[in-house]
Amino acid sequence: MRPWPGTTYPLGATYDGVGTNFSLFSEAAEYVELCLFDDDGKETRAKLEEVDGFVHHGYVLGVGPGQRYGFRVHGPYDPERGLRCNPNKLLIDPYAKAVSHGVDWDECLFGYKFDAPDERNDADSAGHVPYSQVVSPFFDWGNDRAPKTPYNESVIYEAHVKGMTVNHPFVPERLRGTYAGLAHPVVIEHLTKLGVTAIELLPVHQFVTDHGLAEKGLRNYWGYNTIGYFAPHDAYAAMTSQGGQVQEFKGMVRAFHEANIEVILDVVYNHTAEGNHLGPTLSMRGIDNEAYYRLVEDEPKYYMDYTGTGNSLNVRHPHTLQLIMDSLRYWVTEMHVDGFRFDLASALAREFYDVDRLSTFFDMVQQDPIVSQVKLIAEPWDVGPGGYQVGNFPPLWTEWNGQFRDTVRDFWRGEPSTLGEFASRITGSSDLYQDDGRRPFASINFVTAHDGFTLNDLVSYNEKHNEANGEDGRDGADDNRSWNCGAEGPTDDEEVLALRARQRRNLLATTVLSQGVPMLLHGDEFGRTQQGNNNAYCQDTELSWMDWELASANAELVEFVAALTAFRKRHPVFRRRRFFQGKPIRKGDELRDIAWFTPAGEEMTEQNWDDGFGKSVVAFLNGEGIPDLDPRGMRVEDDSFLLAFNAHYEDIEMTLPGNGYGSAWSIVIDTSTGLIDPEKDEPLDAGAEITLPARSLVVLQRVGGAPE
């Protein structure tokens, strides 16, 4: 086999219907061998003779979809100087569109101590490490159309491809835990009922389980251990032959789009599965270690680690930046995804040492005509110094609002002096996002996510219970801001169970009705539990999988969530595009867009906000002429509402505001009962006293329009 010259771009393996062009960047390499494997694992090698701008390339006639391949990079090996070329290692193509399997740790001799002198003589790894695969770029998208749901109308649902369906009784067994299973009509029907507009998938880029977990008999479940930025994870595919995971993933996206649901990917461009200096050589480490990874300045040149995983990608290098941007564009243009959630996004902003919000990566995203047009969500922190950057990302970005999560948890568990902070969070966190021109929807509001307690466990456990992880409980966060409502874990106490149910509704209602974009964690809508495990990253077991029997057992909670999102959709005052100003909406109006009251019906004062009690507050939301223009240039009109929060353990007597805000009110949501839009009793007159139940949120809708 002697390759034709081929072309430098696109990088990776590109099939054109006749043959395949192979292209690999490596400035460190003396030369590169392309390795092709037949069905029996027999290897054929060919040197890529053509090199332009450190890109080694060649075209092989007759090679097509399904062909397994890899690279062997010949060059200097001196780990203390950061050089790790080793032709004994079969390397995954960083641009591989499909990868065949994981790592066989029992058979593959990697020699974890990479500075050992015999590391270059390790046994050949072919057959025991993943193969790259050539894929067909052709797919019938039909009339596929991106939903392009505006942020302020979005409801995001964070889910795990396998965990969502592996136990689903109505998904065919052969499809459970796969892309095809996730796109099954019964799953889409459930999401549609919940009012979900976007499903945010935990990592689906090809990943591997690290050796330490494998030794314990555990697996990397969440997938934050990427080794292929272009390849859909093969274990999530029912179609396993000839790169079928690519076709299956595309079919899943098409099915979601037909249901008007966007697909957002959780992506991990901050580190890879190759880990620290003791980790395995799988791909980029052996191709060009200095280009792809941040290395310390002094020898030995081991890895900078802003992620807690052993390495950090070198976003200062142009070819690493190109890899990330090419990957993002590929998933948008070829796979039709609608956005990305960037894991530990602060690590991507580290040009030098400190987090720089104007780093090259963000500049490139801003000017890219494709990537800049999809949803971009930052997890705005990493584990390095100064890494907590909530509120500091560029205007194009939205953020997981960790301050919303912490404040809402504190408020509902009864922590003192959180009232002012709570008011800021439920109105869109203007203190974080307004100064740089962003809108309320820059805040992705959540109280639970994959990392931490489920909603059920948040109200059932004071302490983490991570014994199954094999780390003696040392892993996982200790500051959970949870409250078990009087008993740790499962209980038969009816009062405790009733209180937990109410707290679940309080947290869900606060998330859905706050300004910003609500995000729900899969299974929270019917009380999924991880038995107190708040770090289930390695639990590819029943502990983490969704138990769909709970959907029937807790059907009333499912109905409550569905009714909440439907209520939000009907009333634009809960999904404003602009921040409240505390001023009249239109010239000549007397009513402000928002007003705050004590339970006694008096407007809040500075002293009230600083009150150490801080357990109860009432917000008036003015729906008359919301300054959010509809497509015709008209102001949006809605009803006006009172949101009455009581986090105290006792009932509170509440006085409705006077006639200036409305002459009559009707209760439309009550978390103490779980009712939404109940049968209307006689309207309550302005100034009337009502009982605000302990630990509850009551929403009242104005009856009869604006006051004269």
Side-chain angles (χ1 to χ4, degrees):
M1 177 183 68
R2 184 172 183 179
W4 295 357
T7 59
T8 60
Y9 193 85
L11 290 160
T14 306
Y15 174 65
D16 62 7
V18 178
T20 300
N21 187 79
F22 295 92
S23 179
L24 178 75
F25 160 77
S26 177
E27 186 174 353
E30 295 168 359
Y31 67 92
V32 172
E33 287 182 305
L34 169 67
C35 309
L36 302 181
F37 296 87
D38 64 18
D39 292 341
D40 295 326
K42 181 182 178 181
E43 179 179 358
T44 301
R45 303 184 188 183
K47 182 179 179 180
L48 296 178
E49 301 280 359
E50 297 293 321
V51 184
D52 296 290
F54 305 114
V55 176
H56 306 249
H57 55 92
Y59 181 92
V60 184
L61 189 67
V63 167
Q67 174 66 59
R68 297 181 297 171
Y69 73 98
F71 296 109
R72 297 187 185 277
V73 175
H74 296 255
Y77 180 82
D78 188 348
E80 293 203 351
R81 294 173 52 214
L83 304 171
R84 294 179 178 269
C85 297
N86 181 358
N88 291 310
K89 302 293 187 182
L90 180 70
L91 302 175
I92 301 168
D93 179 3
Y95 278 76
K97 306 300 191 303
V99 176
S100 63
H101 57 78
V103 178
D104 185 347
W105 293 109
D106 291 333
E107 300 292 338
C108 190
L109 303 177
F110 270 177
Y112 257 72
K113 292 186 178 180
F114 268 11
D115 53 358
D118 62 346
E119 199 266 343
R120 287 173 64 91
N121 298 317
D122 280 350
D124 194 304
S125 54
H128 305 303
V129 297
Y131 293 111
S132 306
Q133 288 183 291
V134 178
V135 303
S136 171
F138 309 114
F139 182 77
D140 182 9
W141 282 103
N143 296 319
D144 183 66
R145 179 187 61 83
K148 293 188 179 297
T149 306
Y151 269 119
N152 68 309
E153 297 178 12
S154 297
V155 176
I156 297 174
Y157 187 89
E158 190 191 28
H160 189 282
V161 171
K162 180 177 181 179
M164 184 84 173
T165 65
V166 69
N167 273 339
H168 202 300
F170 300 120
V171 172
E173 188 171 354
R174 65 183 181 85
L175 300 181
R176 293 175 188 170
T178 69
Y179 303 118
L182 195 62
H184 191 275
V186 70
V187 178
I188 290 179
E189 180 183 4
H190 177 75
L191 296 175
T192 301
K193 177 179 180 178
L194 293 178
V196 170
T197 68
I199 185 167
E200 183 178 302
L201 300 178
L202 267 69
V204 298
H205 289 169
Q206 188 75 27
F207 64 89
V208 298
T209 290
D210 63 88
H211 187 245
L213 284 180
E215 284 187 318
K216 297 177 182 178
L218 301 172
R219 299 176 62 182
N220 190 307
Y221 174 65
W222 286 349
Y224 292 94
N225 209 32
T226 305
I227 200 59
Y229 288 124
F230 292 76
H233 189 56
D234 67 314
Y236 293 159
M239 300 169 58
T240 57
S241 62
Q242 297 190 346
Q245 60 263 45
V246 178
Q247 303 293 310
E248 187 173 329
F249 185 93
K250 290 178 177 179
M252 176 196 71
V253 173
R254 184 177 59 191
F256 277 123
H257 284 181
E258 288 174 355
N260 209 36
I261 295 174
E262 295 180 309
V263 178
I264 298 172
L265 303 186
D266 193 334
V267 290
V268 191
Y269 293 112
N270 54 75
H271 74 279
T272 76
E274 294 186 291
N276 64 14
H277 63 285
L278 300 178
T281 295
L282 298 173
S283 180
M284 292 183 282
R285 183 200 300 273
I287 293 170
D288 197 324
N289 191 49
E290 289 186 295
Y292 283 115
Y293 294 111
R294 291 286 298 272
L295 306 181
V296 299
E297 294 184 2
D298 300 326
E299 294 185 4
K301 284 186 172 291
Y302 294 155
Y303 299 91
M304 299 287 287
D305 183 10
Y306 296 118
T307 64
T309 59
N311 66 52
S312 299
L313 232 59
N314 184 12
V315 291
R316 300 178 299 181
H317 194 281
H319 278 278
T320 305
L321 274 174
Q322 180 184 5
L323 171 74
I324 296 173
M325 295 306 298
D326 284 350
S327 170
L328 292 170
R329 281 190 292 269
Y330 174 79
W331 286 97
V332 175
T333 59
E334 296 296 322
M335 309 297 267
H336 288 207
V337 304
D338 305 284
F340 305 96
R341 179 266 189 189
F342 291 79
D343 175 65
L344 300 181
S346 292
L348 297 172
R350 290 184 183 272
E351 286 254 337
F352 299 100
Y353 178 79
D354 294 328
V355 175
D356 178 5
R357 58 173 285 180
L358 298 179
S359 68
T360 304
F361 170 71
F362 295 114
D363 290 343
M364 292 188 70
V365 169
Q366 181 75 34
Q367 59 81 39
D368 190 277
I370 294 172
V371 180
S372 65
Q373 298 307 303
V374 300
K375 287 183 168 64
L376 302 171
I377 304 170
E379 182 186 33
W381 48 77
D382 66 18
V383 301
Y388 190 78
Q389 293 291 318
V390 173
N392 290 332
F393 275 70
L396 188 65
W397 292 68
T398 62
E399 301 175 13
W400 271 25
N401 191 343
Q403 293 192 31
F404 179 94
R405 172 199 59 204
D406 295 345
T407 301
V408 170
R409 288 184 178 190
D410 277 349
F411 178 79
W412 283 115
R413 70 189 180 120
E415 287 295 295
S417 302
T418 61
L419 203 53
E421 179 86 0
F422 179 74
S424 179
R425 300 298 151 242
I426 66 174
T427 54
S429 297
S430 60
D431 58 323
L432 298 177
Y433 304 115
Q434 188 169 23
D435 287 347
D436 56 11
R438 287 191 280 178
R439 301 288 179 83
F441 50 76
S443 177
I444 306 297
N445 297 331
F446 68 105
V447 291
T448 54
H450 69 275
D451 188 0
F453 283 142
T454 66
L455 180 65
N456 180 81
D457 292 357
L458 186 67
V459 300
S460 302
Y461 293 90
N462 285 348
E463 307 294 337
K464 64 185 181 183
H465 296 267
N466 297 356
E467 293 79 10
N469 295 357
E471 299 181 41
D472 296 324
R474 293 186 300 271
D475 65 303
D478 293 313
D479 181 20
N480 294 289
R481 303 178 190 237
S482 60
W483 178 45
N484 64 19
C485 297
E488 187 74 357
T491 181
D492 295 327
D493 189 312
E494 293 296 333
E495 289 188 10
V496 171
L497 293 174
L499 178 54
R500 288 177 179 176
R502 183 180 298 196
Q503 289 288 77
R504 286 195 295 267
R505 293 192 293 267
N506 287 334
L507 291 161
L508 286 165
T510 303
T511 302
V512 172
L513 299 182
S514 292
Q515 303 299 318
V517 181
M519 186 184 80
L520 307 174
L521 173 62
H522 71 176
D524 277 355
E525 70 273 17
F526 50 65
R528 183 174 73 92
T529 178
Q530 292 176 171
Q531 299 174 27
N533 191 314
N534 74 347
N535 189 33
Y537 76 102
C538 58
Q539 295 298 323
D540 189 3
T541 65
E542 300 276 352
L543 186 73
S544 292
W545 302 338
M546 287 179 68
D547 179 1
W548 284 90
E549 292 184 1
L550 293 173
S552 298
N554 295 326
E556 73 287 346
L557 185 58
V558 178
E559 296 298 331
F560 180 77
V561 175
L564 270 178
T565 57
F567 183 84
R568 179 180 185 271
K569 184 176 182 179
R570 290 195 304 272
H571 296 290
V573 74
F574 295 103
R575 45 183 174 84
R576 291 166 53 102
R577 295 181 62 252
R578 289 172 171 80
F579 287 107
F580 292 107
Q581 299 297 315
K583 300 176 182 177
I585 293 174
R586 290 173 290 208
K587 188 175 181 179
D589 287 354
E590 293 186 5
L591 284 184
R592 291 163 289 168
D593 55 4
I594 189 169
W596 298 93
F597 298 90
T598 68
E602 300 172 349
E603 288 209 38
M604 292 283 288
T605 65
E606 288 296 326
Q607 182 178 353
N608 295 137
W609 288 116
D610 295 333
D611 188 350
F613 171 72
K615 301 291 195 302
S616 183
V617 69
V618 180
F620 166 77
L621 306 186
N622 189 348
E624 296 289 329
I626 303 170
D628 288 354
L629 300 181
D630 70 11
R632 299 166 297 173
M634 304 293 289
R635 289 180 181 269
V636 175
E637 299 289 333
D638 192 13
D639 298 320
S640 295
F641 294 88
L642 293 173
L643 278 69
F645 299 89
N646 179 20
H648 192 39
Y649 59 82
E650 293 182 336
D651 295 350
I652 291 178
E653 294 304 311
M654 171 187 167
T655 301
L656 298 179
N659 276 322
Y661 292 90
S663 59
W665 300 87
S666 180
I667 295 175
V668 291
I669 297 177
D670 184 349
T671 61
S672 70
T673 61
L675 295 178
I676 297 181
D677 283 333
E679 291 187 14
K680 300 294 190 298
D681 296 326
E682 287 295 319
L684 301 164
D685 293 333
E689 287 193 358
I690 65 170
T691 298
L692 193 56
R695 295 194 174 96
S696 69
L697 165 59
V698 173
V699 180
L700 300 99
Q701 184 172 352
R702 190 168 64 190
V703 179
E708 297 296 335

